[in-house]
Amino acid sequence: MANRDSTTHADVEGIGEPPKRKFRVLKKKNLPAKTTPWKDIQEFLPVDFLLLTVKDCEHLSCLSFLKSIVRSYEITLGFVYFGYSRNKDSSKEPNSPKFAVIQCSMGATGPGGSLVVVQSAVPVLRPKAVICVGYCGSLCKTKAKLGDVVISSKLITYAYTKKRKCGIEERGSVVPPNKYMAGLIKGAGAGWKAPLKNEKDLEVAVRSDGVFLSGPEVIDDPKSQKELKMRFPQGTAIEMEGEGLYTAAHKHGIEWLVIKGVSDFADGSKSSTDSWRPFASVMAASVVFHMLNDTYVFEDWAHYEDPSKRKRRSSTTDDDTRAKVTRVTVKAGGPSDEELEELSLEIPVKWKKLGGRLGFKNAEITAFHINNEELGEKAYSMLLAWKRKEASDATYRVLYDALCHKLVQCKSLAQRFCCE
């Protein structure tokens, strides 16, 4: 059964105006008029969460859930807004989450796109996680209707294909969130109520099992929409910034997520649903702040740390290193298919050496190489075969030892995937 949390039992037929909200959204004139020097915003650094938006209605929706808003400027990032959650009293809650909100350009790879902005912002702001918030297009009205909030349980980069005579071969990535976010989104809609004046006006669902298609196109054509649905029947919604967000977050090794409200159906009717964009943005922002409001959940999440600084600090004596090794606790049991899929994306170069440490012979490794084209697919095929072959003996401990082997040398991956 789909994981679809709702606020009421009402439904909406056809396309009309969105219901009235009980939540007041800031206007640009309500934002700080003066820019606070970067040296004077150190109380916000490192931030806990970076929220990435594109359009003004997305940006203002996120800022409307903040208080004590400060605007600052950093030469590589441009304007950055800081604040605390309105749901927390920062004067009484010293550990109240700190947020940064940035606007990027539409899309992933262009100047000012999500890839460029997140790649630059993470080392400066050092967040625990980065989340893209805004509106999107639904690919199926029965999966996600106008106003519903879609959360990326998976993200598919749909634009990468190989066209053959017999049809299209998909070459894009299918990626789940990192493990902390993957666990968090399962209960994203628990206790959430849509900020509507009358809850009976609309049943707003939180699709925590959403599958986003992310790519460079603005789709508003029934033929194109139908082709995408045929290629990706599991798809829930389509958007443009998630691909860049994921790529940059993956590089920096931090948690990421895409949360967007449905404002259209990508079927040629986009102009008739323009009024749903601000509504969808507010619903998405409301879910984000509801999820992030529980400070206890995020206490042990680490802030981003510059790898060069980590390396310098870890250059200690042999005794210190041995002491640290003894504190590593490998998880009990074995990895899930999803964890192995995620791992396969991070070991494309060393998958053959890892396969050898997991007991595969050269002929078997060659077969994995021949039968799969993409490096990630080769690694994933090998890891799945190991799990099927070894059954209950395919444990985190075995995988940890293989990753740490001197011929593989992926100790950081071993600790991230196999240790508590």
Side-chain angles (χ1 to χ4, degrees):
M1 179 179 291
N3 189 356
R4 178 177 175 137
D5 299 310
S6 306
T7 59
T8 72
H9 297 289
D11 204 351
V12 64
E13 297 292 341
I15 297 175
E17 291 299 308
K20 292 183 178 180
R21 307 179 302 262
K22 67 178 180 181
F23 182 82
R24 187 179 73 87
V25 177
L26 294 174
K27 297 181 180 180
K28 280 194 170 183
K29 66 180 182 180
N30 304 128
L31 300 181
K34 294 184 178 180
T35 300
T36 301
W38 195 260
K39 64 182 178 63
D40 295 331
I41 53 89
Q42 297 307 304
E43 67 172 287
F44 290 102
L45 298 178
V47 300
D48 293 305
F49 303 103
L50 169 60
L51 305 184
L52 187 71
T53 63
V54 179
K55 300 296 185 179
D56 284 348
C57 64
E58 300 171 338
H59 192 234
L60 292 170
S61 293
C62 288
L63 293 178
S64 297
F65 285 88
L66 296 178
K67 64 181 180 180
S68 304
I69 298 175
V70 174
R71 183 181 74 174
S72 191
Y73 179 84
E74 205 277 335
I75 192 167
T76 62
L77 305 180
F79 288 109
V80 183
Y81 288 83
F82 298 91
Y84 298 95
S85 171
R86 283 167 56 109
N87 295 327
K88 287 284 185 181
D89 184 348
S90 57
S91 64
K92 297 180 180 179
E93 293 269 359
N95 295 322
S96 182
K98 295 175 288 187
F99 290 86
V101 184
I102 295 182
Q103 271 186 290
C104 71
S105 300
M106 183 183 293
T109 59
S114 59
L115 172 61
V116 176
V117 170
V118 175
Q119 200 159 287
S120 300
V122 167
V124 176
L125 302 174
R126 295 179 51 213
K128 296 180 177 181
V130 56
I131 303 174
C132 190
V133 189
Y135 60 80
C136 64
S138 171
L139 291 171
C140 180
K141 295 180 182 180
T142 58
K143 287 185 178 181
K145 64 182 184 306
L146 292 175
D148 284 354
V149 178
V150 182
I151 302 177
S152 58
S153 70
K154 281 189 176 65
L155 186 140
I156 300 175
T157 56
Y158 70 84
Y160 302 96
T161 62
K162 183 175 182 178
K163 294 184 178 179
R164 300 174 177 270
K165 289 183 179 180
C166 57
I168 294 176
E169 179 183 325
E170 303 300 342
R171 291 294 188 91
S173 300
V174 181
V175 291
N178 291 353
K179 60 181 180 179
Y180 292 153
M181 275 297 185
L184 181 67
I185 63 177
K186 294 175 183 177
W192 179 75
K193 293 183 179 180
L196 302 176
K197 279 191 173 181
N198 184 353
E199 291 185 357
K200 294 183 180 180
D201 285 345
L202 180 66
E203 177 187 5
V204 182
V206 178
R207 288 301 307 265
S208 57
D209 61 347
V211 177
F212 270 110
L213 306 187
S214 189
E217 302 171 302
V218 177
I219 304 294
D220 187 29
D221 169 59
K223 181 180 178 182
S224 299
Q225 186 228 46
K226 185 177 179 180
E227 289 176 353
L228 282 175
K229 289 169 69 174
M230 298 244 339
R231 288 169 54 194
F232 304 101
Q234 73 273 43
T236 308
I238 185 169
E239 60 85 64
M240 300 177 65
E241 291 72 42
E243 178 181 357
L245 173 84
Y246 153 70
T247 303
H250 176 74
K251 176 187 176 183
H252 288 311
I254 67 168
E255 301 287 329
W256 63 274
L257 205 59
V258 178
I259 301 182
K260 297 192 175 185
V262 174
S263 66
D264 63 81
F265 297 111
D267 61 356
S269 63
K270 195 181 287 281
S271 60
S272 64
T273 61
D274 281 352
S275 60
W276 284 84
R277 294 179 181 179
F279 179 88
S281 299
V282 169
M283 295 301 112
S286 177
V287 170
V288 168
F289 281 89
H290 175 77
M291 286 175 57
L292 305 181
N293 194 41
D294 191 346
T295 56
Y296 171 76
V297 173
F298 306 100
E299 282 182 349
D300 295 329
W301 288 34
H303 288 276
Y304 169 82
E305 187 175 9
D306 189 289
S308 62
K309 294 179 181 179
R310 280 203 300 269
K311 186 175 181 180
R312 284 198 296 271
R313 276 202 284 271
S314 64
S315 299
T316 55
T317 65
D318 290 341
D319 288 339
D320 289 337
T321 302
R322 281 194 293 269
K324 289 180 181 178
V325 171
T326 60
R327 289 197 293 269
V328 171
T329 303
V330 177
K331 292 186 284 190
S336 65
D337 289 0
E338 190 171 89
E339 287 176 308
L340 294 178
E341 182 179 8
E342 186 179 352
L343 175 60
S344 69
L345 298 174
E346 303 205 36
I347 55 164
V349 178
K350 296 186 176 182
W351 74 271
K352 290 184 179 180
K353 292 183 178 179
L354 178 61
R357 308 292 76 72
L358 292 175
F360 290 106
K361 297 179 180 178
N362 288 337
E364 294 174 301
I365 293 174
T366 300
F368 294 132
H369 175 71
I370 294 174
N371 294 332
N372 299 276
E373 291 191 9
E374 296 293 326
L375 284 175
E377 294 171 353
K378 300 174 194 290
Y380 185 47
S381 178
M382 179 271 292
L383 289 169
L384 281 182
W386 167 69
K387 182 178 178 180
R388 303 292 183 266
K389 181 178 70 171
E390 299 298 330
S392 60
D393 290 330
T395 63
Y396 286 111
R397 168 53 70 181
V398 174
L399 184 59
Y400 176 89
D401 291 340
L403 286 166
C404 292
H405 192 278
K406 63 182 180 180
L407 295 180
V408 183
Q409 295 185 358
C410 289
K411 187 173 182 180
S412 61
L413 282 179
Q415 292 179 344
R416 183 145 59 91
F417 282 89
C418 304
C419 297
E420 295 178 346

